[in-house]
Amino acid sequence: MLKRKTLKALAAALAAAACCTLAPMAQAASPEDLATYQGPDRHERLVEAAKKEGELTVYHAYPKLTVAIDAFSKKYGIKVKNWRAGSEALLQRIVSEARGGRHDVDIVQNNAPENEALHREGLSRPAWSPHFADLRANAVPKHHAWVGLTMDVWTAAYNTEKVKPEDVPKGYEDLTDPKWKNKLGVEAYNFAWFGTLLQAMGEEKGRKLFSDIVATNGMSFRKGHSLLTSLVASGEVPLALTVYSWNPEQLKTKGAPIEGLPLDPIIGQFSTLALLAKSPHPNAALLFYDFMLDEGQKILADMNYVVVTDKIKTPFTGVDVTMVDPGQALDHQDEWMKTFEEVLGKAP
């Protein structure tokens, strides 16, 4: 998620990149660019064009996306270069490269707000996929400049050796009990989670509840969901409020004493794919895009990610999940950050 004044700091760079280095996003389809083509021979033409390009560069936030990347490369014989970083670093690198006239990356997997920022400044391009029909509501925005790949659903997680079964909270209200003193933690920059949570709960009610929780029991902050989850597994943070649902599941398979705990209202955010407007391998990128919305969904589901296809059942199928609006996450970033720090506290 974008942090602090990242969006403001990047605004000028984004505008400069869009004005100086990018062609208009909406361009007529050509034989070499099948992004919006919907003919019956689309896949065959796309495979042929992608194999001619022969390679692909992917920037991504998920460490385990490499499993799907390897499967794609093996299936189509396309060489894939990849670079992984946090969501903010991905956005910064793409902007920096665009400003310098470098266009190495073809497709990026990142949080919806970051890829929405790319769209707003013309750094990504719209696409169509035959697999859109299989995806859950809101996974395909009207502008088609990104598409939901998975849902990062925020849940609580607790250490099963530190928290007794009878003490497991049933709701956020239970966390006002003094028994949770010095036992709670959150990811340090989950401003969008908290802003959306307060909208779902009611601003006044939510502010009071979490102010009471912090006043009674305090709150610790850790940077990174994987780190926070690891600290729950080790017992250093007995109960975390903001891990991704797949984090504890992945550690449980390794024998860690950890359990995920969805607390209502459940908040989620799309992790997305976006095609770059100046992609050097546009057809290979689009083929990977289609692959990830089809076969890639099973690969990710097998690793406990919450996929967006309706063809695969997940722990959140049929569950009411309130999704972060990526436009609001950008527009209200400063406001949500301020509220987060006023109510929950500020990371040291």
Side-chain angles (χ1 to χ4, degrees):
M1 173 54 62
L2 294 171
K3 302 173 193 146
R4 298 185 177 275
K5 297 183 179 178
T6 299
L7 183 59
K8 288 184 176 179
L10 289 174
L14 283 163
C19 293
C20 301
T21 65
L22 296 179
M25 188 169 65
Q27 300 181 14
S30 73
E32 302 304 319
D33 184 357
L34 302 171
T36 57
Y37 181 64
Q38 300 182 30
D41 61 341
R42 177 182 184 275
H43 182 69
E44 291 75 14
R45 291 179 61 185
L46 184 55
V47 171
E48 180 182 1
K51 287 188 173 182
K52 285 181 180 178
E53 293 171 349
E55 59 184 84
L56 174 70
T57 297
V58 181
Y59 287 179
H60 60 102
Y62 281 170
K64 292 194 174 184
L65 194 73
T66 53
V67 177
I69 289 173
D70 290 345
F72 169 81
S73 183
K74 181 178 180 180
K75 178 173 182 176
Y76 292 108
I78 293 173
K79 181 179 179 181
V80 182
K81 300 176 183 177
N82 69 91
W83 183 75
R84 191 194 76 80
S87 57
E88 180 183 2
L90 289 171
L91 177 60
Q92 288 177 328
R93 178 161 174 165
I94 293 170
V95 171
S96 177
E97 289 181 345
R99 289 188 70 189
R102 286 182 56 193
H103 305 289
D104 296 336
V105 61
D106 297 297
I107 188 169
V108 58
Q109 175 261 318
N110 206 352
N111 296 335
E114 281 77 3
N115 277 344
E116 179 70 15
L118 292 181
H119 157 65
R120 287 187 175 190
E121 301 301 336
L123 294 174
S124 59
R125 61 180 178 138
W128 175 85
S129 172
H131 305 296
F132 283 175
D134 300 326
L135 307 185
R136 67 175 289 137
N138 302 323
V140 185
K142 291 181 179 179
H143 54 56
H144 286 200
W146 52 259
V147 64
L149 176 66
T150 61
M151 289 169 51
D152 287 333
V153 180
W154 283 286
T155 69
Y158 63 94
N159 184 293
T160 56
E161 295 176 353
K162 298 288 184 178
V163 178
K164 299 176 183 178
E166 61 269 25
D167 290 336
V168 174
K170 294 180 174 59
Y172 287 112
E173 291 79 5
D174 293 342
L175 301 181
T176 58
D177 192 308
K179 68 186 174 186
W180 295 108
K181 190 172 183 64
N182 299 323
K183 294 181 178 180
L184 305 176
V186 294
E187 203 283 329
Y189 299 106
N190 278 157
F191 310 137
W193 161 78
F194 196 57
T196 305
L197 180 67
L198 292 189
Q199 286 181 342
M201 296 181 76
E203 184 84 17
E204 184 176 350
K205 175 185 176 182
R207 273 179 170 266
K208 184 179 186 310
L209 173 59
F210 280 93
S211 293
D212 290 345
I213 292 171
V214 173
T216 303
N217 298 315
M219 188 70 66
S220 63
F221 302 88
R222 300 295 191 278
K223 182 178 178 180
H225 298 92
S226 295
L227 173 61
L228 180 59
T229 310
S230 296
L231 294 176
V232 173
S234 72
E236 184 173 333
V237 179
L239 176 65
L241 302 185
T242 56
V243 304
Y244 291 142
S245 63
W246 43 268
N247 288 140
E249 294 303 316
Q250 290 177 350
L251 290 186
K252 277 176 63 179
T253 62
K254 300 177 181 179
I258 189 171
E259 193 69 54
L261 178 67
L263 296 175
D264 288 328
I266 301 171
I267 308 299
Q269 175 175 266
F270 285 119
S271 180
T272 64
L273 290 175
L275 298 166
L276 275 296
K278 285 283 189 174
S279 163
H281 312 104
N283 297 300
L286 187 59
L287 185 62
F288 181 72
Y289 183 96
D290 277 1
F291 176 86
M292 291 307 304
L293 297 180
D294 185 25
E295 295 170 59
Q297 292 287 285
K298 184 178 187 308
I299 294 171
L300 293 174
D302 287 345
M303 294 186 288
N304 299 116
Y305 291 98
V306 183
V307 294
V308 295
T309 179
D310 287 333
K311 291 182 176 181
I312 298 175
K313 187 176 181 179
T314 76
F316 295 94
T317 298
V319 175
D320 184 16
V321 178
T322 300
M323 301 300 290
V324 170
D325 183 305
Q328 286 193 7
L330 296 177
D331 296 337
H332 299 288
Q333 181 188 21
D334 288 347
E335 175 190 339
W336 285 359
M337 179 190 73
K338 181 180 179 182
T339 300
F340 182 96
E341 293 182 346
E342 286 178 348
V343 178
L344 297 182
K346 189 174 180 179

